[in-house]
Amino acid sequence: MEDKPNYYSITPANVRYDKSLPMGARFMYGEITALTKKDGYCWAGDSYFAELYEVTNTTIQNWLRALERKGYISRKRIYKDGTKQIKNRYIRLFDTPTQNNLGTYVKILRTLHKIIWVPM
C-alpha cells in the first residue's frame, strides 16, 4: 500500500522559525504531518523522503535526527528478529517539544478538518 499525503501540511511556527534546524528538516516536518495517518504515525521510509527532496538517505537521517533532538518528533524502530535490520519505523509528531502533550498534536490533526469556527 502506498502512503499518499493529505492535501495540506502543517508546520507550526516553533518548527518553521527554528534556525537551529536545517531548512530541509523544517520542510520535512510538514511532509510528515501530511503523511501522518489516523493512528498518529508516519510510516514513510528514508527512501521516500530522499526521492521527494532529491537528497541522500544520509541527509534524511540527519534531518530526522535534528527534529528528534529538538523534541519535535520521536522515532520508534521495530527490528527484524535477531537482526539490526529495521522492519518498521514509526515517526510521531509533537507540536511543542515536551513529553506532557504526547499525542495531542495528532489528535488536533485528525479533527482539524471538522473545525469550522473556534471562539477566542
Side-chain angles (χ1 to χ4, degrees), residues 3 11 16 20 23 27 32 35-36 45 52-53 55 63 66 69 79-81 87-89 93 95 107 112-113 119:
D3 280 333
T11 307
R16 197 169 51 247
S20 69
M23 188 60 73
F27 279 108
I32 292 168
L35 292 170
T36 297
L52 180 67
Y53 294 114
V55 296
W63 292 350
R69 282 185 184 146
Y79 295 94
K80 292 184 180 179
D81 290 336
K87 179 179 176 183
N88 291 314
R89 177 188 64 199
L93 298 167
D95 181 32
K107 289 175 192 169
L112 193 62
H113 70 279

Side-chain angles (χ1 to χ4, degrees), residues 4-13 15-16 21-37 42 44 48-49 52-53 63-64 67 72-73 91 93-94 105 109:
K4 293 189 178 184
N6 291 318
Y7 295 106
Y8 58 90
S9 67
I10 299 171
T11 307
V15 175
R16 197 169 51 247
L21 289 174
M23 188 60 73
R26 298 182 222 177
F27 279 108
M28 191 164 80
Y29 184 93
E31 185 68 18
I32 292 168
T33 67
L35 292 170
T36 297
K37 302 292 186 181
C42 170
Y48 169 82
F49 291 116
L52 180 67
Y53 294 114
W63 292 350
L64 288 169
L67 288 167
Y72 297 126
I73 65 167
I91 303 171
L93 298 167
F94 299 111
Y105 187 72
L109 279 177

Side-chain angles (χ1 to χ4, degrees), residues 42-109:
C42 170
W43 296 0
D46 294 347
S47 296
Y48 169 82
F49 291 116
E51 254 184 66
L52 180 67
Y53 294 114
E54 298 179 351
V55 296
T56 65
N57 284 6
T58 301
T59 298
I60 295 303
Q61 279 297 311
N62 289 336
W63 292 350
L64 288 169
R65 195 173 302 111
L67 288 167
E68 192 170 35
R69 282 185 184 146
K70 295 292 291 195
Y72 297 126
I73 65 167
S74 69
R75 293 184 285 174
K76 180 179 180 181
R77 295 166 196 86
I78 308 296
Y79 295 94
K80 292 184 180 179
D81 290 336
T83 71
K84 291 191 176 200
Q85 186 177 10
I86 296 174
K87 179 179 176 183
N88 291 314
R89 177 188 64 199
Y90 305 98
I91 303 171
R92 185 176 202 155
L93 298 167
F94 299 111
D95 181 32
T96 316
T98 70
Q99 294 298 312
N100 297 330
N101 63 352
L102 282 175
T104 303
Y105 187 72
V106 174
K107 289 175 192 169
I108 292 169
L109 279 177

